[in-house]
Short mmCIF file of all heavy atoms in Angstrom, two decimals:
data_model
loop_
_atom_site.label_atom_id
_atom_site.label_comp_id
_atom_site.label_asym_id
_atom_site.label_seq_id
_atom_site.Cartn_x
_atom_site.Cartn_y
_atom_site.Cartn_z
N SER X 1 0.84 -1.19 0.00
CA SER X 1 0.00 0.00 0.00
C SER X 1 0.88 1.24 0.00
O SER X 1 1.97 1.26 0.59
CB SER X 1 -0.90 0.02 1.24
OG SER X 1 -1.78 -1.07 1.25
N VAL X 2 0.40 2.29 -0.65
CA VAL X 2 1.05 3.59 -0.58
C VAL X 2 0.46 4.34 0.61
O VAL X 2 -0.75 4.45 0.75
CB VAL X 2 0.82 4.39 -1.88
CG1 VAL X 2 1.40 5.80 -1.74
CG2 VAL X 2 1.47 3.68 -3.06
N THR X 3 1.32 4.83 1.48
CA THR X 3 0.85 5.49 2.70
C THR X 3 1.10 7.00 2.70
O THR X 3 0.55 7.71 3.55
CB THR X 3 1.53 4.90 3.94
OG1 THR X 3 2.96 5.04 3.81
CG2 THR X 3 1.19 3.42 4.08
N GLY X 4 1.89 7.49 1.77
CA GLY X 4 2.13 8.93 1.74
C GLY X 4 2.89 9.36 0.51
O GLY X 4 3.55 8.55 -0.15
N LEU X 5 2.76 10.66 0.20
CA LEU X 5 3.43 11.22 -0.97
C LEU X 5 3.91 12.62 -0.63
O LEU X 5 3.19 13.40 0.01
CB LEU X 5 2.46 11.25 -2.15
CG LEU X 5 2.92 11.92 -3.44
CD1 LEU X 5 2.37 11.16 -4.66
CD2 LEU X 5 2.44 13.38 -3.50
N SER X 6 5.12 12.94 -1.03
CA SER X 6 5.66 14.27 -0.79
C SER X 6 6.46 14.73 -2.01
O SER X 6 6.92 13.91 -2.81
CB SER X 6 6.55 14.27 0.46
OG SER X 6 7.61 13.33 0.32
N ARG X 7 6.61 16.05 -2.12
CA ARG X 7 7.39 16.62 -3.22
C ARG X 7 8.86 16.65 -2.84
O ARG X 7 9.22 16.98 -1.71
CB ARG X 7 6.92 18.04 -3.53
CG ARG X 7 5.47 18.13 -3.99
CD ARG X 7 5.28 17.47 -5.35
NE ARG X 7 6.13 18.00 -6.37
CZ ARG X 7 5.84 19.07 -7.13
NH1 ARG X 7 4.71 19.71 -6.94
NH2 ARG X 7 6.68 19.49 -8.05
N VAL X 8 9.73 16.32 -3.81
CA VAL X 8 11.18 16.40 -3.65
C VAL X 8 11.73 16.98 -4.95
O VAL X 8 11.02 17.06 -5.96
CB VAL X 8 11.79 14.99 -3.40
CG1 VAL X 8 11.33 14.44 -2.06
CG2 VAL X 8 11.44 14.02 -4.52
N PRO X 9 12.98 17.44 -4.95
CA PRO X 9 13.53 18.03 -6.17
C PRO X 9 13.43 17.13 -7.39
O PRO X 9 13.24 17.60 -8.52
CB PRO X 9 15.00 18.29 -5.79
CG PRO X 9 14.96 18.48 -4.31
CD PRO X 9 13.91 17.55 -3.81
N GLU X 10 13.54 15.80 -7.17
CA GLU X 10 13.47 14.87 -8.32
C GLU X 10 12.05 14.66 -8.83
O GLU X 10 11.85 14.12 -9.90
CB GLU X 10 14.04 13.51 -7.91
CG GLU X 10 15.48 13.53 -7.42
CD GLU X 10 15.60 13.80 -5.95
OE1 GLU X 10 14.61 14.26 -5.32
OE2 GLU X 10 16.68 13.54 -5.39
N GLY X 11 11.07 15.10 -8.05
CA GLY X 11 9.67 14.91 -8.43
C GLY X 11 8.82 14.58 -7.22
O GLY X 11 8.31 15.46 -6.54
N PHE X 12 8.70 13.26 -6.92
CA PHE X 12 7.88 12.81 -5.81
C PHE X 12 8.59 11.69 -5.05
O PHE X 12 9.29 10.88 -5.64
CB PHE X 12 6.52 12.28 -6.30
CG PHE X 12 5.70 13.30 -7.05
CD1 PHE X 12 5.81 13.43 -8.43
CD2 PHE X 12 4.84 14.14 -6.37
CE1 PHE X 12 5.08 14.37 -9.12
CE2 PHE X 12 4.09 15.09 -7.05
CZ PHE X 12 4.21 15.21 -8.43
N ARG X 13 8.36 11.67 -3.75
CA ARG X 13 8.79 10.54 -2.96
C ARG X 13 7.53 9.86 -2.42
O ARG X 13 6.73 10.47 -1.73
CB ARG X 13 9.70 10.95 -1.81
CG ARG X 13 10.13 9.76 -0.95
CD ARG X 13 11.25 10.13 0.01
NE ARG X 13 12.48 10.42 -0.73
CZ ARG X 13 13.25 11.49 -0.54
NH1 ARG X 13 12.89 12.40 0.37
NH2 ARG X 13 14.35 11.68 -1.24
N VAL X 14 7.37 8.59 -2.78
CA VAL X 14 6.19 7.83 -2.39
C VAL X 14 6.60 6.81 -1.35
O VAL X 14 7.51 6.02 -1.58
CB VAL X 14 5.55 7.14 -3.62
CG1 VAL X 14 4.36 6.29 -3.19
CG2 VAL X 14 5.12 8.19 -4.65
N ARG X 15 5.92 6.83 -0.21
CA ARG X 15 6.25 5.92 0.88
C ARG X 15 5.28 4.74 0.88
O ARG X 15 4.05 4.90 0.78
CB ARG X 15 6.16 6.64 2.22
CG ARG X 15 6.64 5.81 3.42
CD ARG X 15 6.70 6.63 4.69
NE ARG X 15 5.39 7.13 5.08
CZ ARG X 15 4.97 8.38 4.93
NH1 ARG X 15 5.78 9.28 4.36
NH2 ARG X 15 3.77 8.75 5.32
N LEU X 16 5.83 3.53 0.98
CA LEU X 16 5.02 2.32 1.03
C LEU X 16 4.76 1.93 2.48
O LEU X 16 5.37 2.47 3.40
CB LEU X 16 5.71 1.19 0.27
CG LEU X 16 6.10 1.47 -1.18
CD1 LEU X 16 6.66 0.21 -1.84
CD2 LEU X 16 4.93 2.02 -1.98
N ASP X 17 3.88 0.96 2.68
CA ASP X 17 3.45 0.63 4.04
C ASP X 17 4.52 -0.08 4.87
O ASP X 17 4.30 -0.34 6.05
CB ASP X 17 2.15 -0.19 4.03
CG ASP X 17 2.26 -1.44 3.18
OD1 ASP X 17 3.34 -1.70 2.63
OD2 ASP X 17 1.25 -2.16 3.05
N ASP X 18 5.64 -0.44 4.27
CA ASP X 18 6.73 -1.02 5.05
C ASP X 18 7.88 -0.02 5.18
O ASP X 18 9.01 -0.40 5.47
CB ASP X 18 7.24 -2.30 4.38
CG ASP X 18 7.82 -2.04 2.99
OD1 ASP X 18 7.60 -0.93 2.45
OD2 ASP X 18 8.50 -2.92 2.45
N GLU X 19 7.57 1.28 4.96
CA GLU X 19 8.53 2.38 5.02
C GLU X 19 9.50 2.39 3.85
O GLU X 19 10.40 3.23 3.80
CB GLU X 19 9.32 2.37 6.35
CG GLU X 19 8.43 2.45 7.59
CD GLU X 19 7.49 3.63 7.56
OE1 GLU X 19 7.93 4.73 7.19
OE2 GLU X 19 6.29 3.47 7.91
N HIS X 20 9.35 1.46 2.92
CA HIS X 20 10.14 1.51 1.69
C HIS X 20 9.71 2.75 0.91
O HIS X 20 8.55 3.14 0.94
CB HIS X 20 9.86 0.24 0.87
CG HIS X 20 10.81 0.02 -0.25
ND1 HIS X 20 11.81 -0.92 -0.20
CD2 HIS X 20 10.90 0.60 -1.47
CE1 HIS X 20 12.48 -0.90 -1.33
NE2 HIS X 20 11.95 0.01 -2.12
N GLU X 21 10.63 3.39 0.19
CA GLU X 21 10.30 4.59 -0.55
C GLU X 21 10.71 4.47 -2.01
O GLU X 21 11.73 3.85 -2.34
CB GLU X 21 10.98 5.82 0.08
CG GLU X 21 10.42 6.15 1.46
CD GLU X 21 10.99 7.44 2.02
OE1 GLU X 21 12.05 7.89 1.52
OE2 GLU X 21 10.37 8.02 2.93
N VAL X 22 9.89 5.07 -2.86
CA VAL X 22 10.17 5.09 -4.29
C VAL X 22 10.15 6.55 -4.74
O VAL X 22 9.20 7.29 -4.44
CB VAL X 22 9.12 4.30 -5.10
CG1 VAL X 22 9.45 4.34 -6.59
CG2 VAL X 22 9.05 2.86 -4.61
N THR X 23 11.18 6.96 -5.44
CA THR X 23 11.24 8.32 -5.99
C THR X 23 10.85 8.27 -7.46
O THR X 23 11.36 7.43 -8.21
CB THR X 23 12.66 8.90 -5.85
OG1 THR X 23 13.02 8.91 -4.48
CG2 THR X 23 12.71 10.32 -6.39
N ALA X 24 9.92 9.15 -7.85
CA ALA X 24 9.41 9.13 -9.22
C ALA X 24 9.35 10.55 -9.78
O ALA X 24 9.05 11.50 -9.05
CB ALA X 24 8.02 8.51 -9.26
N CYS X 25 9.63 10.66 -11.07
CA CYS X 25 9.52 11.96 -11.73
C CYS X 25 8.06 12.37 -11.91
O CYS X 25 7.73 13.56 -11.90
CB CYS X 25 10.22 11.92 -13.09
SG CYS X 25 11.98 11.51 -13.01
N ALA X 26 7.19 11.38 -12.12
CA ALA X 26 5.76 11.64 -12.29
C ALA X 26 4.97 10.51 -11.64
O ALA X 26 5.47 9.38 -11.53
CB ALA X 26 5.40 11.76 -13.77
N VAL X 27 3.76 10.82 -11.21
CA VAL X 27 2.90 9.84 -10.55
C VAL X 27 1.53 9.85 -11.20
O VAL X 27 0.96 10.92 -11.45
CB VAL X 27 2.75 10.13 -9.04
CG1 VAL X 27 1.71 9.21 -8.41
CG2 VAL X 27 4.09 9.99 -8.33
N VAL X 28 1.02 8.66 -11.50
CA VAL X 28 -0.36 8.51 -11.98
C VAL X 28 -1.14 7.82 -10.87
O VAL X 28 -0.81 6.69 -10.47
CB VAL X 28 -0.43 7.69 -13.28
CG1 VAL X 28 -1.89 7.31 -13.59
CG2 VAL X 28 0.15 8.48 -14.44
N VAL X 29 -2.16 8.51 -10.37
CA VAL X 29 -3.03 7.95 -9.33
C VAL X 29 -4.14 7.16 -10.01
O VAL X 29 -4.98 7.73 -10.71
CB VAL X 29 -3.62 9.05 -8.44
CG1 VAL X 29 -4.53 8.43 -7.37
CG2 VAL X 29 -2.52 9.87 -7.80
N ALA X 30 -4.12 5.84 -9.82
CA ALA X 30 -5.15 4.96 -10.39
C ALA X 30 -5.61 4.00 -9.30
O ALA X 30 -5.86 2.82 -9.56
CB ALA X 30 -4.58 4.20 -11.59
N SER X 31 -5.71 4.54 -8.08
CA SER X 31 -5.99 3.69 -6.92
C SER X 31 -7.44 3.29 -6.78
O SER X 31 -7.79 2.50 -5.89
CB SER X 31 -5.51 4.39 -5.63
OG SER X 31 -5.92 5.73 -5.58
N GLY X 32 -8.30 3.79 -7.65
CA GLY X 32 -9.67 3.29 -7.75
C GLY X 32 -10.53 3.56 -6.53
O GLY X 32 -10.31 4.48 -5.74
N VAL X 33 -11.55 2.71 -6.39
CA VAL X 33 -12.53 2.86 -5.32
C VAL X 33 -12.73 1.51 -4.64
O VAL X 33 -12.31 0.47 -5.14
CB VAL X 33 -13.88 3.36 -5.87
CG1 VAL X 33 -13.74 4.74 -6.47
CG2 VAL X 33 -14.43 2.39 -6.91
N ARG X 34 -13.39 1.55 -3.51
CA ARG X 34 -13.70 0.33 -2.78
C ARG X 34 -15.18 0.37 -2.39
O ARG X 34 -15.73 1.43 -2.08
CB ARG X 34 -12.84 0.24 -1.51
CG ARG X 34 -11.37 0.06 -1.85
CD ARG X 34 -10.50 0.08 -0.61
NE ARG X 34 -9.11 -0.16 -0.97
CZ ARG X 34 -8.11 -0.14 -0.11
NH1 ARG X 34 -8.35 0.12 1.17
NH2 ARG X 34 -6.88 -0.36 -0.51
#
């Protein structure tokens, strides 16, 4: 699960639910509905 998103110079830092982080230049939100 993605638990948070913040802006960084490279673009975005996305935090996963195990505290793992992914840095991305662009993000597409397609998390849908429940």
Side-chain angles (χ1 to χ4, degrees):
S1 297
V2 175
T3 59
L5 175 144
S6 58
R7 297 293 304 273
V8 294
E10 301 88 344
F12 300 91
R13 178 168 293 132
V14 177
R15 187 173 62 256
L16 305 185
D17 55 2
D18 63 346
E19 303 306 317
H20 193 104
E21 293 186 341
V22 181
T23 301
C25 300
V27 173
V28 168
V29 180
S31 46
V33 297
R34 294 176 177 176

